[in-house]
Amino acid sequence: MSVLEQNFPVVQKKLSVDLKGNNTDIIICSYDDHFLVIATQIGTMGTILHARKDADISVHPTFSVSVIFGKRDEPMLVACARQLIEHISSFGTSQPLVLSLGLKDHSAETLKGIVSAVTENRLW
């Protein structure tokens, strides 16, 4: 289920998906200067990551992902942020992404489900 909120000053979508038996709430917000995606199975923000496209110096773009708060030893969370920023970039925008992942399950299947749900309901 997806809800597009227009009354709030920031355009946002809220949805809920079931990933491997865990209810996952996702909020996607589009600010003037960045995108915010919150995905939680535990009701809190969890690990917060920042992802951006680096300056176009060459033909092949490069991306930077860093953990702002939370688990720094979870490479799958970084991979999730990288997939999302690559997807955002492919639509021609250079806005960075702030991604919050509060998950019970950090498996590749869960993270692929989050990427899929976010890209299907994108605001970029």
Side-chain angles (χ1 to χ4, degrees):
M1 184 172 113
S2 173
V3 177
L4 182 61
E5 299 271 340
Q6 296 276 341
N7 297 340
F8 189 65
V10 175
V11 178
Q12 63 177 338
K13 276 189 181 181
K14 298 177 186 177
L15 57 136
S16 228
V17 294
D18 184 85
L19 299 173
K20 293 180 63 179
N22 292 310
N23 181 49
T24 307
D25 296 317
I26 300 173
I27 300 172
I28 307 164
C29 301
S30 176
Y31 292 86
D32 287 340
D33 60 347
H34 68 277
F35 296 104
L36 171 66
V37 174
I38 301 170
T40 185
Q41 297 172 333
I42 58 176
T44 62
M45 294 192 60
T47 300
I48 301 173
L49 302 105
H50 181 267
R52 65 181 174 85
K53 180 180 178 182
D54 294 329
D56 285 335
I57 301 171
S58 68
V59 177
H60 304 289
T62 57
F63 302 91
S64 297
V65 178
S66 57
V67 177
I68 298 172
F69 297 110
K71 296 184 177 191
R72 297 183 185 280
D73 59 345
E74 290 280 348
M76 292 302 292
L77 301 182
V78 173
C80 180
R82 182 175 171 91
Q83 283 186 340
L84 286 173
I85 195 63
E86 286 179 6
H87 183 78
I88 291 168
S89 176
S90 73
F91 281 83
T93 182
S94 60
Q95 291 181 343
L97 168 70
V98 175
L99 175 64
S100 169
L101 297 170
L103 306 174
K104 293 177 186 174
D105 175 22
H106 293 173
S107 69
E109 184 180 342
T110 295
L111 295 168
K112 284 179 186 177
I114 290 169
V115 169
S116 177
V118 170
T119 55
E120 288 171 12
N121 292 280
R122 68 184 173 266
L123 292 177
W124 44 86

